[in-house]
Amino acid sequence: MSSGTTGLSLRQKAEQGDAEAQNRLGLMHSSGHGVPKDYQQALAWFRQAANLGDADAQNNLGLMYANGRGTPYDFQQAVSWFSKSADQGYSRAQYNLALMYDIGQGVKQNYQKAFALYLEAARQGHARAQNSLGLAYHHGNGVEQDFAQAMSWYLLAAEQDHAKAQFQIGVLYDCGQGVNVDFGKAFFWYRKAADQGHADAQFHLGLFYDAAKGLPRDDKQALAWYQKAASNGHARAQFNLGLMYSNGHGAPIDLASAHKWFSLAESNGIAKAVKYKNAAELAFKPADTAPLQKAAGQLTVL
């Protein structure tokens, strides 16, 4: 059967009141998969299915309002639709509703309510909810602080390759929160998160190599991990990368590169980067201004 025939059959079902087909059409228009991307069409199909009680569509409609797609932002409407879906036990909606209570968007901030909803979703295996429960126990938001409970929920999420949870496990071992300090285990979990592109984990790997935490110092490895994190917008990694290039650690001294990374760190809120940037600039001889100008011209690339 051709894709066109399949699409027509799906539309026919949707037009005949099939909520599952209506939701699928909404998803197709929302993503542009097989049809032109059209958020207003997606909104219309999600609404039809949601009004028929489809929990997935109710959650998707809430997301449209929460993200301002096909409609102006309306967090109260988002909460309303997430609530309808969550009441049916739909884990994604429970997580999304918990997030609204967690940050106070569309509802009054309520950590206890957020915790209860995260718990409902986490018990169904929702990885982001499991990580959020870990964070709640880690920081004592909506529940008494308990590092052991934080670890147990992080581990469940980490087993599903949730990078943020893997990073947080690294933090617990790195700081000795609820466990003995173990740099080897911290490194293991940071590395798992870093390999998925987690900037904080990449930065911490750079620190491990830079400061010889549990392993020999390796400036080249430190430089490489700072580079990954810095390229992902991590301000402290950008600053440390500037220091590496200024001092010739892991690479030859390169004041143009140092200037570039200090400038980026400054723009991302590292106030002390200003004096280092200025020092790198002053270190250039008049004949050396071309590479400095070239570096400055590349500041918007990253």
Side-chain angles (χ1 to χ4, degrees):
M1 184 177 292
S2 70
S3 59
T5 303
T6 303
L8 181 62
S9 175
L10 183 66
R11 179 172 289 275
Q12 286 177 332
K13 290 180 180 179
E15 290 173 346
Q16 291 170 7
D18 186 311
E20 182 181 354
Q22 291 167 346
N23 183 56
R24 285 179 60 192
L25 270 181
L27 289 170
M28 290 170 68
H29 279 292
S30 180
S31 65
H33 181 69
V35 294
K37 181 179 285 190
D38 187 330
Y39 288 140
Q40 290 185 335
Q41 280 287 317
L43 186 79
W45 286 115
F46 286 146
R47 188 185 305 281
Q48 289 191 53
N51 285 330
L52 290 173
D54 186 280
D56 193 8
Q58 290 169 341
N59 178 64
N60 289 333
L61 186 57
L63 288 170
M64 298 295 280
Y65 281 111
N67 294 314
R69 291 178 175 173
T71 179
Y73 288 98
D74 191 329
F75 299 126
Q76 290 183 334
Q77 279 288 336
V79 167
S80 175
W81 287 108
F82 289 150
S83 297
K84 292 178 188 294
S85 181
D87 286 344
Q88 297 192 61
Y90 192 59
S91 63
R92 292 182 182 179
Q94 290 167 342
Y95 170 78
N96 289 331
L97 185 58
L99 193 59
M100 302 297 273
Y101 277 106
D102 204 351
I103 62 180
Q105 211 165 46
V107 289
K108 185 177 180 180
Q109 189 174 51
N110 187 326
Y111 290 136
Q112 290 77 20
K113 181 68 173 178
F115 178 87
L117 286 161
Y118 284 140
L119 183 59
E120 290 184 39
R123 284 173 171 166
Q124 296 187 64
H126 192 287
R128 284 181 291 173
Q130 291 167 343
N131 178 64
S132 293
L133 271 185
L135 288 170
Y137 277 113
H138 196 156
H139 300 291
N141 288 339
V143 68
E144 186 176 350
Q145 189 176 51
D146 187 328
F147 294 130
Q149 282 288 337
M151 176 68 85
S152 68
W153 286 108
Y154 286 147
L155 283 169
L156 287 173
E159 288 170 1
Q160 299 188 62
D161 288 328
H162 193 284
K164 291 181 180 179
Q166 292 167 341
F167 170 74
Q168 292 298 338
I169 295 171
V171 170
L172 291 176
Y173 280 116
D174 197 357
C175 300
Q177 294 177 319
V179 292
N180 293 326
V181 171
D182 189 323
F183 292 144
K185 290 181 178 178
F187 182 92
F188 172 82
W189 287 105
Y190 284 151
R191 180 61 189 263
K192 288 182 78 70
D195 285 342
Q196 294 193 65
H198 192 286
D200 275 330
Q202 292 167 339
F203 169 70
H204 277 74
L205 287 182
L207 284 178
F208 266 52
Y209 283 112
D210 198 358
K213 291 179 67 174
L215 71 173
R217 176 170 176 164
D218 188 327
D219 288 341
K220 289 186 177 180
Q221 282 289 337
L223 185 82
W225 285 109
Y226 285 150
Q227 179 81 53
K228 290 177 186 291
S231 296
N232 282 328
H234 195 286
R236 291 175 64 194
Q238 291 166 345
F239 178 77
N240 285 3
L241 197 55
L243 291 177
M244 299 287 281
Y245 281 116
S246 290
N247 298 318
H249 292 164
I253 290 175
D254 184 342
L255 295 180
S257 291
H259 182 275
K260 178 184 74 171
W261 291 112
F262 285 139
S263 296
L264 283 168
E266 177 193 0
S267 69
N268 286 321
I270 305 296
K272 65 181 179 180
V274 177
K275 67 176 183 179
Y276 290 92
K277 179 192 73 173
N278 292 340
E281 191 167 345
L282 288 172
F284 277 88
K285 299 176 182 178
D288 294 331
T289 56
L292 179 59
Q293 291 171 353
K294 181 180 179 182
Q298 294 174 343
L299 293 181
T300 59
V301 174
L302 296 176

